[in-house]
Amino acid sequence: MRARHIAAVAALGAGLVACGSSTPASKPAAQSDGGRGPITFISGKFEAESVQKIVDAWNAAHPNEKAGVVLLPESADEQRRKLIQNAQTKSDAGDVILIDAVWTSEFAANRWVDELPLDVSGLLPTTVETAKYRDKLYAMPLFTGTGLLYYRTDLVKEPPKTWDEMKKLCDQVLPKQKGMACYSGQFDKYEGLTVNFSEAVNSAGGEFLDASGQPQLTSDAAKKAGQFLADGFKSGMIPKEAITYKEEEGRVAFQEGKLLFYRNWAYGYEAAQKTDGSSKVAGKVNVAPIPGLTGIGAGTLGGNNLAVSAFSKHKQTAKDFIAFMTSAEQLKAFAETSSMPVPRTAIYEDPEMIKKYPYLPALKEGILAAKPRPKAVKYGDVTAAIQESAYAIVSGAKPVDQALTELQSTLGPLLK
């Protein structure tokens, strides 16, 4: 069994890590067994321990259909690359795959995942939309969320609602704080930069696409968003090292007291409050909606969905596993041990959960109001183009107007 599991991991490419208490048995060449049997779940590293508890619960109840877990790398771009590589070779190494919410159209259009007619009642409506392609369900939301502003409650009484308010607070606080910078998000050249740039455009009152699906990157709002980021790096409001930040690098910097404000997902809240010595800011952190140009900003809708690989030999078990993973009972259990937001509406209205995570009602409002990244079948090309132009802006390689004009021209054909 160990040899077979190693072979499955190898088929997914170098850099994957096996975890969990169980290993799937080998799979038959065809679904002569009714599509039932042991499966492999290709997951991500975020909240791997909490996810594993749900997998363990499934395995305990399904001893003949156990799920083994394979972890993808941290980088979203690298995750996507490995999943696509697996799909293009029609490998059955993974039965259930965890995909970024914005990849649904691409994976469905290419027939890499199967239609998934499961019950979506009780899920936040915006999360369900991320799992659809041409109005058909191809995945089930497992995680969701939107950008939040982490801030130091010992240094700031009220969080800023606008970019100007944030700058003013930094000007007041930072002269007395050695080694602390004002603000950061995720600005390395990867999917996080697409998210942060989208949030800036939306928070300036702009939109990436109009109602017909065409890009709107030469609008005044988009230019103001780009200029905010460019000026932030140029002035030092955003530290120069932030150009290498993904989620974890920035989270660590904030927990070490190096940032007054930090944009991140909700998962970082629990880590920031730990009193085991890993966080220097424990008990001095709160979260708020991200600021915008003239008022509270608009976050980007994030999250991860579960889908059944079109090349799985045990599709019926895979579907049942997804239904189990996303059930009200299991997501409640997950939420009790993790600050990663889940798509079940009831979680955000549960008094016990709100007591543990006081920001849940506000987060629910943010998720319902959040805007998605551009939906595109050629999403890989779209996000690569956005990253290229956004990186040119934050690095100072190109003027904002030039970078956005070029991006507008590039995206037009890709979004047809």
Side-chain angles (χ1 to χ4, degrees):
M1 289 177 67
R2 177 175 173 80
R4 294 186 185 110
H5 187 56
I6 291 174
V9 174
L12 291 166
L16 304 191
V17 181
C19 79
S21 58
S22 62
T23 310
S26 61
K27 291 172 285 189
Q31 297 200 54
S32 56
D33 53 3
R36 309 206 69 91
I39 58 173
T40 298
F41 172 32
I42 304 177
S43 186
K45 289 185 177 180
F46 278 149
E47 306 298 333
E49 291 184 8
S50 295
V51 170
Q52 184 63 45
K53 290 180 180 178
I54 306 180
V55 175
D56 290 343
W58 164 271
N59 288 342
H62 302 82
N64 296 322
E65 299 176 272
K66 287 186 175 182
V69 181
V70 173
L71 297 182
L72 290 169
E74 179 185 327
S75 167
D77 293 336
E78 191 64 10
Q79 291 173 13
R80 177 179 168 276
R81 187 184 71 80
K82 289 184 179 297
L83 287 174
I84 290 178
Q85 181 183 53
N86 204 44
Q88 289 176 336
T89 60
K90 298 183 179 181
S91 170
D92 66 348
D95 302 275
V96 175
I97 60 175
L98 187 72
I99 60 176
D100 192 293
V102 80
W103 300 343
T104 304
S105 295
E106 179 180 21
F107 277 66
N110 284 289
R111 298 183 181 180
W112 295 331
V113 295
D114 284 353
E115 190 176 343
L116 196 62
L118 295 179
D119 181 11
V120 296
S121 59
L123 299 180
L124 295 169
T126 49
T127 68
V128 175
E129 289 305 309
T130 70
K132 291 181 177 179
Y133 173 65
R134 292 185 175 178
D135 294 325
K136 292 183 179 180
L137 194 72
Y138 282 86
M140 278 289 280
L142 178 65
F143 303 138
T144 187
T146 190
L148 294 169
L149 184 73
Y150 287 69
Y151 68 98
R152 292 282 298 275
T153 56
D154 57 326
L155 301 175
V156 176
K157 291 183 179 180
E158 295 291 336
K161 293 182 175 63
T162 69
W163 293 336
D164 281 342
E165 286 179 11
M166 185 167 68
K167 292 176 188 176
K168 289 177 182 177
L169 285 170
C170 289
D171 290 342
Q172 294 170 10
V173 172
L174 294 184
K176 301 176 184 178
Q177 303 297 320
K178 185 177 179 181
M180 180 180 283
C182 178
Y183 166 80
S184 182
Q186 295 79 47
F187 300 111
D188 197 359
K189 198 175 183 180
Y190 79 118
E191 185 63 23
L193 183 56
T194 297
V195 169
N196 278 248
F197 184 65
S198 297
E199 285 185 343
V201 172
N202 293 328
S203 296
E207 56 184 1
F208 242 84
L209 307 179
D210 62 18
S212 66
Q214 289 305 299
Q216 299 295 306
L217 277 306
T218 54
S219 67
D220 288 342
K223 292 176 182 178
K224 288 176 181 177
Q227 203 62 54
F228 164 70
L229 296 176
D231 291 346
F233 273 96
K234 187 175 181 180
S235 68
M237 184 193 84
I238 303 173
K240 63 179 184 298
E241 56 266 28
I243 205 164
T244 66
Y245 283 179
K246 298 183 179 70
E247 283 84 354
E248 286 298 277
E249 290 88 348
R251 179 185 66 79
V252 171
F254 181 76
Q255 288 181 197
E256 291 179 347
K258 295 179 181 179
L259 293 168
L260 180 58
F261 299 107
Y262 180 53
R263 178 264 175 227
N264 201 6
W265 310 96
Y267 86 92
Y269 182 84
E270 193 170 24
Q273 301 287 21
K274 282 188 176 180
T275 57
D276 60 359
S278 61
S279 175
K280 296 180 181 179
V281 298
K284 299 180 286 188
V285 177
N286 204 350
V287 295
I290 60 172
L293 178 62
T294 60
I296 291 175
T300 294
L301 185 65
N304 295 94
N305 300 335
L306 294 171
V308 174
S309 168
F311 313 106
S312 167
K313 294 297 190 294
H314 290 158
K315 292 183 180 181
Q316 190 55 53
T317 297
K319 290 177 183 177
D320 291 347
F321 176 78
I322 290 176
F324 180 87
M325 287 281 291
T326 58
S327 67
E329 179 184 358
Q330 295 304 322
L331 287 184
K332 172 70 181 295
F334 175 87
E336 289 173 342
T337 62
S338 169
S339 58
M340 181 78 85
V342 296
R344 287 280 171 189
T345 304
I347 299 295
Y348 299 84
E349 300 165 355
D350 187 311
E352 291 182 5
M353 297 305 302
I354 293 173
K355 183 177 180 180
K356 185 171 185 178
Y357 302 114
Y359 60 83
L360 283 178
L363 179 59
K364 177 186 174 184
E365 291 183 20
I367 292 171
L368 292 175
K371 298 183 179 181
R373 283 158 283 175
K375 282 189 175 183
V377 172
K378 297 179 179 179
Y379 185 75
D381 294 332
V382 168
T383 190
I386 294 171
Q387 292 170 35
E388 190 70 31
S389 293
Y391 196 80
I393 288 172
V394 298
S395 66
K398 292 180 181 179
V400 172
D401 281 7
Q402 179 185 345
L404 291 179
T405 299
E406 292 175 356
L407 179 58
Q408 174 84 8
S409 177
T410 300
L411 289 184
L414 293 177
L415 291 168
K416 285 184 178 179

